[in-house]
Amino acid sequence: MNTEQYKKKKEELVANLTINPDLVFEYDNSPYADEFDDIFSFYLEDLEYNSKYGIEPSIVFFNTNLSINAWATKYNGYYVISFNMGLIVGLIQMFKEKPGLLDEKENKEFVDFEKLLDNPIYILMYQNAVHFTFYHEMAHLVQNSDLLENRILEHLDNSEGYSERRHLLELDADEFSSISIGAHVLQYAENMFGDKVTKRQFENLLIIACGSSFLYLLSFRSNQREIYYEKFSHPHPVVRVMWIIFSIAGYCSRSLEAKGINLGLDPKEIINRTFDFCGQISKHFFDYDPMSTFMDDLANDAMGIMAYLTKFQQLKENDKTLAVFKWNQIAIEIQNKIAKENGD
């Protein structure tokens, strides 16, 4: 375990960010200590790798808050991501402790598909849900907006007021998180299937990734509100789900085509299959039926959703402050460097 490294980071945190040491969660005596340790180690390394965005020095830590939340901030020159310990425990209980997630008859395709993988599907969904949260918060660091100094919280109850800029930053963070998850899906597909991956196999991996983000967003209290557009601090979960799934599927499709692999992925088909899959397993996550409300909102407000997303798609064009713009710029620099090394 990396508890000693974590404690050193805590000392650095307290010394440089004037955080009350009692608010830093020390996980060594937690029943989930190994999971906290893995998360800390993985994302600390990930933050160091992504110093290319100028987000250094950086720290990731767990705080003692029991709610399902996370936040990002910049303070005294440090770029910080903090997970509420309640978020990690909540995601463990939501996904990782669901070994009976798949029904042999109702989910036969995914039961058979799971046999080809190195991890059960409920573990992959758990990993993707944690990834989604981390990369969303990292996007706020990359944006480095004025709001970052005041700590950007993922308000699950959407208690703050609306601003167009805030919605744009949140959608950008969702898209940045989505393409980061897409990069993980691409790497995982290559590890599992290599160049022989089939359309159906890749679609199934996308559905697992999209489905975990979908179910996670459905659990937000704000999902119980009627669909809205220019209100509150975050877009409505229905809107965010559509943006996220299109972003993951689109990024993976473009990346595969750039490698000369054309699987003919159809985002609409992936969305429909994701909804079907989540509808089949949602009873394992909720005591009520959020899927029905979601599908009703989607059917009744399709034009409004598309108009809202089109508006923000236009707003983000050529906005150099956004995380996805910066991702694309670094991707271009890497491609140019590789081309130069190859003498192209």
Side-chain angles (χ1 to χ4, degrees), residues 93-142:
Q93 293 173 344
M94 183 174 184
F95 291 107
K96 197 174 183 184
E97 295 182 347
K98 293 287 187 353
L101 183 65
L102 300 180
D103 180 84
E104 190 72 37
K105 293 181 179 179
E106 196 171 38
N107 314 117
K108 187 179 186 309
E109 178 175 0
F110 281 93
V111 170
D112 291 340
F113 181 63
E114 188 176 60
K115 296 171 185 176
L116 304 176
L117 308 176
D118 61 351
N119 271 304
I121 284 173
Y122 65 91
I123 296 293
L124 296 179
M125 295 186 79
Y126 162 73
Q127 292 172 345
N128 276 301
V130 182
H131 282 336
F132 175 80
T133 303
F134 172 79
Y135 289 116
H136 179 98
E137 299 304 332
M138 193 181 92
H140 287 315
L141 299 184
V142 175

Side-chain angles (χ1 to χ4, degrees), residues 57-101:
S58 59
I59 291 180
V60 59
F61 77 100
F62 307 103
N63 66 68
T64 55
N65 196 305
L66 299 177
S67 67
I68 297 177
N69 216 330
W71 50 266
T73 193
K74 181 184 178 184
Y75 184 84
N76 198 23
Y78 275 79
Y79 293 85
V80 184
I81 290 176
S82 183
F83 294 104
N84 289 10
M85 63 84 67
L87 169 74
I88 304 304
V89 173
L91 290 178
I92 289 171
Q93 293 173 344
M94 183 174 184
F95 291 107
K96 197 174 183 184
E97 295 182 347
K98 293 287 187 353
L101 183 65

Side-chain angles (χ1 to χ4, degrees), residues 41-57:
S41 301
F42 183 87
Y43 293 123
L44 181 64
E45 184 177 336
D46 209 306
L47 276 176
E48 291 171 353
Y49 172 77
N50 282 292
S51 62
K52 58 193 175 186
Y53 289 104
I55 52 173
E56 59 178 344

